[in-house]
Amino acid sequence: MDRSNTFRPLVLTMGEPAGIGPDVTLAAWAARHERGLPVFYCLADPDTMRRRAERIGIDIPIEVVTPAEAAAVFDRALPVVRLEGRSSAEPGLPERASAHGVIEAIARAVGDVRAGSAAAVVTNPINKKALVDAGFQHPGHTEFLGMLSAAWNGAPARPVMMLAGPGLRAVPATIHVPISAVPGLLTENLLMATGRTIDRDMRQRFGIPRPRIAVAGLNPHAGEGGVMGTEDAAVIAPAVARLQAEGINAFGPLAPDTMFHAEARARYDVALCMYHDQALIPTKTVAFSETVNVTLGLPFIRTSPDHGTAFDIAGTGKADFSSLAAALRLADELARHEADHLAGNTDSARLSA
Ligand SMILES: NC(=O)C1=CN([C@@H]2O[C@H](COP(=O)(O)OP(=O)(O)OC[C@H]3O[C@@H](n4cnc5c(N)ncnc54)[C@H](O)[C@@H]3O)[C@@H](O)[C@H]2O)C=CC1
Ligand SMILES: NCC(=O)COP(=O)(O)O
């Protein structure tokens, strides 16, 4: 793999300026040597970053740059590419006026990767409600990034959320939807499309030759033969059988309560779960500070820390930047793996979303 400093930088979005995105970004840059972090620049309002550093009481040099200048600056200062959108939000107090910059950062980050100025997108957490209140049409990054990937293929991609940490990777088949909507959204087609994306990206992006996909049931005891719900036998089991018929190493449905203990986790590479919390509760419980949110199914690489905006500790200096550090490292590894493949140095095929 090309480990030289000439590899393209990562682009990191500021996220919600009232949250801990600025805190963990500053802390990650300060620990760049100690933690061996890849080169990145932050798409942000520089004044927000300076105010936050002052508030936390850390002396971080910040330089406003273009993406092309970021790598040369990274060693001496946090490179910040200026957003048009400004924010005057205080830590813990989100403002509607910040929404423009938050959305702009995500869209510009994707544009930078498409233009070849950045190797991959890493996002800081956003406050979904603040954005939706300001008219944003997407429930989260994952769905918005699927829409933005139309720039590559002319049509939006079907993004798949995966939380990946030491000892557990888990995908929710349905994402940001009310729990009451889940049974109606679970179809064989949805599960098959999700299973295919997991299988392809695990092979191509993560280099796992035949990924083992453990499929969770929806109901207690995976329905207990139909006496505790019908979706497991009527929808999930047929989808698993069809994935197997395509040569995908999927199995289940498994009883959800017994598939996440350590011994059970050793039997699979990815858990395909039926809803958001079924996937995110175990991943965040097993390794909150090291787990990374990765979006599969996109024509570019995107990672994110697993945590949210943590308004309760924004600006206090208490935020742990470990998950952001893990997200930066994983994005860099995936991008280098892809670059190596494109240069003909690996036997994995290119992801075509
Ligand atoms: N990728 C993203 O954009 C994500 C955004 N969110 C958003 O974040 C907002 C708040 O969500 P919550 O459920 O409260 O989760 P949260 O992760 O922001 O906070 C939950 C608890 O964990 C603590 N915590 C979180 N990250 C921490 C860190 N790095 N170091 C130390 N302590 C930390 C917080 O202080 C809080 O007590 C919501 O608006 C949600 O939509 C949540 C998850 C991911
Ligand atoms: N709880 C995880 C989460 O909401 C992250 O979503 P996204 O913004 O990465 O789509």
Side-chain angles (χ1 to χ4, degrees):
M1 275 190 198
D2 172 10
R3 289 270 162 213
S4 69
N5 287 332
T6 56
F7 193 67
R8 283 165 298 153
L10 304 171
V11 53
L12 172 65
T13 63
M14 175 179 66
E16 165 57 55
I20 60 170
D23 310 41
V24 292
T25 300
L26 294 161
W29 181 83
R32 65 203 177 287
H33 297 310
E34 173 199 319
R35 296 278 186 115
L37 297 182
V39 174
F40 64 88
Y41 63 89
C42 188
L43 266 167
D45 170 14
D47 296 334
T48 296
M49 302 304 287
R50 290 196 181 100
R51 282 198 309 273
R52 189 62 55 88
E54 201 174 315
R55 170 93 171 223
I56 296 172
I58 43 174
D59 185 18
I60 304 275
I62 291 169
E63 284 190 34
V64 178
V65 296
T66 64
E69 293 163 343
V73 164
F74 187 75
D75 207 39
R76 64 170 185 267
L78 171 65
V80 171
V81 173
R82 189 188 293 279
L83 293 171
E84 280 172 21
R86 297 294 162 88
S87 168
S88 53
E90 291 294 320
L93 299 171
E95 287 178 352
R96 191 173 287 202
S98 307
H100 171 65
V102 173
I103 297 162
E104 179 197 353
I106 303 167
R108 279 182 57 184
V110 172
D112 285 0
V113 173
R114 182 154 166 74
S117 322
V121 174
V122 182
T123 59
N124 266 308
I126 55 176
N127 180 247
K128 274 91 173 150
K129 175 141 178 23
L131 295 190
V132 170
D133 287 350
F136 189 57
Q137 302 283 329
H138 310 274
H141 286 100
T142 306
E143 299 85 348
F144 186 39
L145 293 167
M147 199 274 284
L148 292 173
S149 60
W152 268 259
N153 296 334
R158 234 198 106 267
V160 167
M161 177 187 284
M162 179 171 80
L163 276 286
L168 180 60
R169 297 187 194 92
V171 165
T174 58
I175 309 181
H176 295 120
V177 293
I179 197 81
S180 58
V182 169
L185 291 169
L186 288 177
T187 61
E188 279 184 50
N189 284 345
L190 172 73
L191 296 177
M192 292 198 57
T194 309
R196 287 183 190 126
T197 299
I198 296 170
D199 180 67
R200 183 191 61 192
D201 280 18
M202 285 299 109
R203 283 186 289 103
Q204 297 180 353
R205 289 227 151 121
F206 285 74
I208 300 174
R210 193 151 190 269
R212 299 163 299 168
I213 305 174
V215 184
L218 173 68
N219 294 296
H221 312 173
E224 187 93 26
V227 297
M228 294 186 195
T230 55
E231 294 85 354
D232 310 84
V235 179
I236 305 171
V240 171
R242 287 174 63 193
L243 287 168
Q244 289 170 346
E246 292 184 2
I248 292 174
N249 192 1
F251 53 95
L254 304 180
D257 61 340
T258 50
M259 64 181 278
F260 294 110
H261 62 81
E263 198 183 310
R265 294 200 309 267
R267 297 186 205 119
Y268 57 82
D269 299 299
V270 184
L272 171 51
C273 301
M274 296 302 112
Y275 55 93
H276 182 278
D277 286 2
Q278 193 180 59
L280 274 66
I281 290 174
T283 46
K284 293 192 182 188
T285 303
V286 168
F288 186 48
S289 61
E290 293 154 283
T291 291
V292 176
N293 177 350
V294 193
T295 312
L296 308 180
L298 297 176
F300 56 91
I301 292 156
R302 178 266 177 154
T303 67
S304 175
D306 64 350
H307 57 76
T309 50
F311 288 137
D312 53 334
I313 57 167
T316 65
K318 290 184 186 159
D320 178 358
F321 67 93
S322 301
S323 180
L324 174 61
L328 290 163
R329 273 196 296 265
L330 179 60
D332 184 61
E333 270 170 37
L334 296 175
R336 287 174 191 272
H337 181 265
E338 183 171 74
D340 273 0
H341 162 69
L342 292 175
N345 297 336
T346 69
D347 56 6
S348 59
R350 187 180 186 187
L351 178 82
S352 56

